[in-house]
Amino acid sequence: MNKARMGWMVVALIFVLSIVTPAVFAAKGLPMTMEKKGLNQSFQNAADEYDVPVSLLMAIGYVETHWEQNDGKASQMKGYGIMQLMDDKQGTLRLASRLTGVNQDTLKKDSSENIRGAAAVIDSFAKKSNKPRPQTLGEWYEVVADYAGFKDPSVTRMFADDVYDVLQKGVSQKVHGEELSIHSQTVKPHRGSLAHIETTAGKPDYESAEWEPVADGNFTAANRGSEDIKYIVIHTTQGSYSSAINWFQNPKSKVSAHFVLRSKDGEVTQMVHNRSIAWHARDYNTHSIGIEHEGYVEKSGWYTDKMYRSSAKLTRWLCEKYKIPMDRKHIIAHSEVPGTTHTDPGSKWDWDQYMKLVKE
């Protein structure tokens, strides 16, 4: 075979691969963008394109999902992707699609486009503000609060404070073999209208908890006592701490839990009084207490030691208060409730460790 003919064959092969390879990836549902670049580059490109600080963009993504795409599946709160673009009344998914020209299905499934869509939304919120465009990280606080999209200002501040806590303390995590990091830095958040929010009226049963009540139509008022409460059901939020609290405060959700715990430090928020019935475990609702834990089923890194210890302390207190036996027949997984389709808290939950802590 002469060299000229071989050269033409190579050119032809390259041409065929340039057509076939994208088609193969598309047929398998694989985003081409992730084949070309990692998450670090995706965050940087989106930050550069929309003039949003890359560390801020990454911090929001970390608070929302720990930088996990969740396979394009919706969270319990109807959020998609690393940046939890919302397919609800808040409509950040639709807004991102309009701003970027990328269809919603791609924004849900493609990590790079999901990050880019979030950057576009954050940029649009900054432009709509009556204030000059933020020049320092601290000045982006109210834009971050707008991105949360929560009605309750105390829950909104909770989300924004979590983002700024990540910025100040820094974080490093390996995601699918790639190391992502935010270096610790001194940041003074400019909270604006959220600087002096009033606490929600009411008092939790558990003295170590914050109080954030669910929407009125998301639970059943009752006067249960020790003879009525027989089980504790362990859940996973399938979303961030603040978004779970916000979801339970949404009258349309028709779900709730008595308690929600934060991953990083085990902070506890009570949302339904123990005497009343939260809507979390089908037929077990009437005789149980529901405890939600921030995180995603089968995703690593959410069930921290601090969360385990805080949750175990709460469970031990409940068992002692309502005379519930401290065993696996009475402290159960959501997945163990008869008739449920849920799988939480999943295989990443360490029951041996948890029950040992409960009994300490």
Side-chain angles (χ1 to χ4, degrees):
M1 184 182 295
N2 60 47
K3 292 183 179 180
R5 186 176 180 184
M6 182 176 291
W8 278 111
M9 288 179 69
V10 170
V11 171
L13 179 60
I14 293 173
F15 176 75
V16 169
L17 287 175
S18 70
I19 296 174
V20 173
T21 302
V24 170
F25 278 111
K28 293 184 177 181
L30 299 175
M32 283 297 294
T33 50
M34 289 306 297
E35 296 304 311
K36 295 179 181 178
K37 58 192 177 187
L39 290 179
N40 280 303
Q41 192 63 53
S42 295
F43 275 113
Q44 189 63 62
N45 289 352
D48 291 343
E49 182 178 359
Y50 290 99
D51 192 23
V52 176
V54 66
S55 60
L56 185 81
L57 197 59
M58 292 182 72
I60 292 172
Y62 184 80
V63 168
E64 291 282 21
T65 62
H66 285 195
W67 300 318
E68 290 278 0
Q69 181 67 9
N70 201 29
D71 305 320
K73 299 174 184 176
S75 69
Q76 185 172 318
M77 284 63 72
K78 299 183 181 179
Y80 287 89
I82 289 172
M83 306 303 293
Q84 286 295 278
L85 294 174
M86 301 300 294
D87 188 12
D88 63 0
K89 189 175 181 180
Q90 178 193 355
T92 51
L93 179 64
R94 292 190 296 276
L95 178 58
S97 180
R98 181 171 62 81
L99 292 170
T100 62
V102 176
N103 68 65
Q104 293 184 27
D105 192 54
T106 300
L107 288 167
K108 292 176 182 178
K109 297 178 180 179
D110 186 321
S111 298
S112 286
E113 293 298 350
N114 187 268
I115 294 167
R116 181 170 172 258
V121 169
I122 293 166
D123 171 57
S124 72
F125 288 164
K127 288 175 178 176
K128 287 181 180 178
S129 172
N130 294 326
K131 300 177 182 179
R133 190 176 186 84
Q135 297 301 307
T136 67
L137 272 177
E139 292 173 357
W140 283 90
Y141 187 95
E142 290 184 280
V143 178
V144 172
D146 288 340
Y147 185 83
F150 302 154
K151 289 184 178 180
D152 188 320
S154 62
V155 183
T156 299
R157 175 165 168 169
M158 187 185 296
F159 174 84
D161 280 353
D162 281 349
V163 171
Y164 275 78
D165 185 62
V166 170
L167 287 169
Q168 294 188 62
K169 294 180 179 178
V171 68
S172 182
Q173 181 168 300
K174 188 168 287 188
V175 182
H176 304 302
E178 180 182 6
E179 191 73 29
L180 278 74
S181 299
I182 299 173
H183 298 296
S184 61
Q185 54 200 302
T186 301
V187 184
K188 184 179 180 180
H190 295 210
R191 293 188 173 90
S193 60
L194 294 175
H196 304 290
I197 60 171
E198 295 182 4
T199 56
T200 305
K203 185 179 179 180
D205 299 309
Y206 185 57
E207 63 178 14
S208 299
E210 302 294 326
W211 174 248
E212 286 289 345
V214 301
D216 287 342
N218 287 354
F219 75 106
T220 302
N223 192 28
R224 300 186 301 171
S226 296
E227 69 281 2
D228 303 307
I229 302 173
K230 301 175 181 178
Y231 303 96
I232 296 170
V233 183
I234 302 300
H235 299 263
T236 303
T237 59
Q238 288 298 99
S240 72
Y241 177 61
S242 55
S243 63
I245 294 170
N246 180 67
W247 182 239
F248 293 153
Q249 291 180 330
N250 183 339
K252 294 182 179 179
S253 71
K254 302 304 178 186
V255 292
S256 59
H258 292 89
F259 298 93
V260 185
L261 276 79
R262 186 161 60 189
S263 172
K264 68 178 181 180
D265 56 7
E267 180 178 274
V268 183
T269 291
Q270 184 165 9
M271 304 197 69
V272 177
H273 282 120
N274 297 344
R275 64 178 179 271
S276 291
I277 301 168
W279 299 347
H280 64 102
R282 299 171 68 94
D283 293 342
Y284 271 47
N285 286 340
T286 304
H287 298 295
S288 67
I289 297 284
I291 304 177
E292 290 275 1
H293 299 80
E294 180 185 24
Y296 292 80
V297 175
E298 307 304 339
K299 300 295 182 182
S300 300
W302 289 95
Y303 302 143
T304 63
D305 182 66
K306 289 182 178 179
M307 176 188 273
Y308 275 129
R309 291 182 181 277
S310 176
S311 180
K313 183 180 177 182
L314 168 60
T315 292
R316 184 168 61 252
W317 175 79
L318 288 167
C319 288
E320 291 171 348
K321 183 176 180 64
Y322 297 106
K323 299 179 174 58
I324 302 169
M326 297 183 194
D327 59 38
R328 285 285 284 113
K329 291 182 180 180
H330 298 86
I331 303 170
I332 66 173
H334 189 189
S335 60
E336 295 169 336
V337 173
T340 189
T341 58
H342 291 260
T343 61
D344 55 315
S347 62
K348 301 295 183 183
W349 181 265
D350 190 335
W351 277 108
D352 290 339
Q353 178 187 355
Y354 187 69
M355 294 305 298
K356 181 180 178 181
L357 290 170
V358 169
K359 296 173 185 179
E360 281 186 353

